[in-house]
Amino acid sequence: MLSVEDVRSGYGRIEALHGVSINIAAGEIVTLLGANGAGKTTLIRAICGVQPISAGRIRFENRQLEDLPAHARVALGIAQVPEGRQVFAPLSVEDNLKLGAWTRRDANLVAELASIYELFPMLAANRHISAGMLSGGQQQMLAIGRALMAKPRLLLLDEPSMGLAPILVEQILDVVRGLKQAGLTVLLVEQNARAALAIADRGYVVETGRIATSGSAAQLLADDRVQAAYLGV
Amino acid sequence: MPEFLQFAFSGLTVGAVYALVALGFTPIYNASDVINFAQGEFVMLGGMTTVFLGLAGVPLPLAACLAVVVTVAVGLALHRFAIEPARGASAVALIMITIGASIFLRGAAQVVFDKRFHSLPPWIGGDAIRVGGATILPQSLVVLGGAVVIVVLLWAFIERTLIGKAMVATAANELAARLVGIDTRRIVGLSFAISAAIGAVAGILISPITLTSYDVGTLLALKGFAAAMLGGIGSAVGAVVGGLLLGLLEAFAAGYVSSQYKDAVAFLVILIVLLAIPRGLFGRASVERV
């Protein structure tokens, strides 16, 4: 469904991705593991088109993405839940969700909103409150809900558990698992490697801008190096 | 007492002019955090284009409509050829670009139009209205009414349309706006079009009172900016309240102190606002939890 081939990208003269290739098949949950600064967020941003790439190819469902602006990629079916949630603070919860469906102007928003509120009931209770007033966990759910309003086929999640209480992390990972059952393909970046591998089918380990190793979730859980570096065994 | 009332009326008249100019800063600022110092030139273009089309024989109402179209085209060109190429630059750099654009537009107007003062006939004629021994011109009420109509339209646009909300979203978090699929370039371009339209309407409405020439934009933009700062930049209601307050302050300062200090009032207001209430009277309190 998504294939990233030999992508290079950087900030100014400092290269952050030195030729990264990953593949994601439809219906999978794939996770990117790696330390801070390894390049996971850069890769996700490059897929969305908000981070320029200097070389390589990105293909989504047989369409080349490199030359498409970010907003056109959303219309193709790629949505991102960015790191740090990035909700529209001055707008209400409901307006945030409505803007999530920006690329689908003809959509029946009433039904869509209802399904998001069903997924995250606490958003329904706060629908008229400005998003900046929500707690971190609520903002994370709003960010996920907003991305889902775009009806994506590929969902990119960047550190959804960052700064959240364990019970909320559990809740959010449950939601991701449910989305997979509903047919969504997910690329999950997560510092909490154990939690990520628990729901993922496959994973890639990113180290200093390169793919260090990859394999099924079970293989990675059993890998000595992964255990030592990311699972704290 | 009639003296006080007369100062108040002339203050409200001038204040309504400032309010209209100040309103024009709002859309661009809200979409991009840029204070557009070429806003005064939009006002000039609205008035001057109407005058010259009128001189060329175009009926004035049609000339006014065409002037709005011309000014919007200039606003879009400013965005496309001056702001957009500097994409990613800091707001301060973009503000400097608008100062350059304002100088350019003034120079171009000098060549395209001329260097003389021009006037437009009042849009609503009739005698001065007498109240308690003081008088106010019907055209002053037109300017005031125009400001109110623009505030209502802006409010409806921001609060009631998804495009208006996309504009707020673009200003609040440009990255997130792009990630939900908003073409932020077009949204900012739209804000320039709206600001230009407001500026043109302001120029058309105020020219019968203030006269117009190629260089009226500079002082109007400074006064409008002072008014917008006082009211809280980015707030449409604030722009109107700030404009009226500034007009009244100027009129009373001119009347009771000395008319020589009239223009100094605006700059004094900017200083005091920046030092004491930098957010202005109606500025957005930023509520954000991190």
Side-chain angles (χ1 to χ4, degrees), chain A residues 71 74 80 86 88 90 95 102 132, chain B residues 165 172-173 176 179 181 183 289:
Chain A
H71 60 89
V74 180
Q80 191 199 138
Q86 315 284 351
F88 300 123
D95 287 341
W102 177 260
Chain B
K165 286 177 175 154
N173 193 327
L179 287 177
D183 186 349
R289 234 146 77 175

Side-chain angles (χ1 to χ4, degrees), chain B residues 67-88:
Chain B
V68 174
V69 173
V70 167
T71 311
V72 166
V74 171
L76 286 172
L78 170 63
H79 171 253
R80 176 69 189 76
F81 297 112
I83 301 293
E84 187 51 33
R87 177 159 215 192

Side-chain angles (χ1 to χ4, degrees), chain A residues 73-80 96-104 107 109 112 116 143-155 184, chain B residues 179-181:
Chain A
R73 300 187 198 194
V74 180
L76 285 181
I78 302 177
Q80 191 199 138
N96 268 266
L97 291 175
K98 282 181 180 165
L99 284 172
W102 177 260
T103 51
R104 307 166 50 238
L109 290 188
E112 308 278 324
I116 300 294
I144 295 174
R146 184 179 64 186
L148 291 176
M149 288 294 287
K151 270 270 148 69
R153 289 189 299 285
L154 173 63
L155 182 68
L184 199 63
Chain B
L179 287 177
V180 298

Side-chain angles (χ1 to χ4, degrees), chain B residues 5-278:
Chain B
L5 212 55
Q6 189 56 58
F7 292 155
F9 282 166
S10 66
L12 285 177
T13 301
V14 181
V17 171
Y18 297 162
L20 264 180
V21 179
L23 272 172
F25 285 102
T26 317
I28 292 179
Y29 179 80
N30 278 341
S32 64
D33 279 348
V34 170
I35 293 158
N36 170 32
F37 278 101
Q39 189 62 37
E41 273 59 45
F42 291 159
V43 179
M44 175 272 290
L45 280 174
M48 290 293 270
T49 311
T50 309
V51 167
F52 275 79
L53 286 174
L55 291 177
V58 181
L60 278 184
L62 179 62
C65 294
L66 288 174
V68 174
V69 173
V70 167
T71 311
V72 166
V74 171
L76 286 172
L78 170 63
H79 171 253
R80 176 69 189 76
F81 297 112
I83 301 293
E84 187 51 33
R87 177 159 215 192
S90 69
V92 174
L94 295 176
I95 288 168
M96 278 191 266
I97 291 177
T98 68
I99 295 176
S102 119
I103 295 169
F104 171 78
L105 288 174
R106 223 176 307 144
Q110 207 178 124
V111 177
V112 175
F113 303 119
D114 60 16
K115 294 196 206 173
R116 290 210 307 264
F117 273 96
H118 297 274
S119 176
L120 282 170
W123 294 99
I124 291 183
D127 293 334
I129 302 163
R130 298 198 144 269
V131 185
T135 57
I136 188 165
L137 285 170
Q139 183 64 22
S140 305
L141 301 178
V142 171
V143 173
L144 212 50
V148 171
V149 169
I150 288 174
V151 168
V152 172
L153 287 178
L154 269 183
W155 175 84
F157 175 66
I158 296 287
E159 294 293 326
R160 292 275 175 267
T161 72
L162 202 57
I163 296 185
K165 286 177 175 154
M167 204 172 261
V168 177
T170 301
N173 193 327
E174 211 238 341
L175 172 71
R178 289 168 70 196
L179 287 177
V180 298
I182 295 171
D183 186 349
T184 53
R185 224 181 44 197
R186 283 179 59 189
I187 292 288
V188 175
L190 177 65
S191 77
F192 273 79
I194 295 174
S195 278
I198 294 174
V201 169
I204 292 162
L205 293 183
I206 70 178
S207 288
I209 297 174
T210 61
L211 305 186
T212 186
S213 80
Y214 77 98
D215 64 351
V216 288
T218 317
L219 198 59
L220 280 176
L222 274 170
K223 297 292 182 66
F225 176 61
M229 289 293 296
L230 175 60
I233 189 130
S235 156
V237 175
V240 172
V241 174
L244 293 178
L245 267 179
L246 185 64
L248 287 170
L249 281 172
E250 271 193 21
F252 287 124
Y256 288 119
V257 187
S258 159
S259 57
Q260 282 185 324
Y261 295 128
K262 186 179 75 98
D263 286 336
V265 170
F267 304 111
L268 210 60
V269 165
I270 296 188
L271 279 178
I272 293 171
V273 168
L274 285 177
L275 288 174
I277 37 167

Side-chain angles (χ1 to χ4, degrees), chain A residues 119-122 137 141 144 164-178:
Chain A
L119 200 57
F120 301 116
M122 101 242 291
M141 302 200 174
I144 295 174
L164 298 188
I167 183 155
L168 283 172
V169 175
E170 206 43 54
Q171 215 175 326
I172 282 175
L173 292 177
D174 272 346
V175 167
V176 175
R177 211 181 275 131

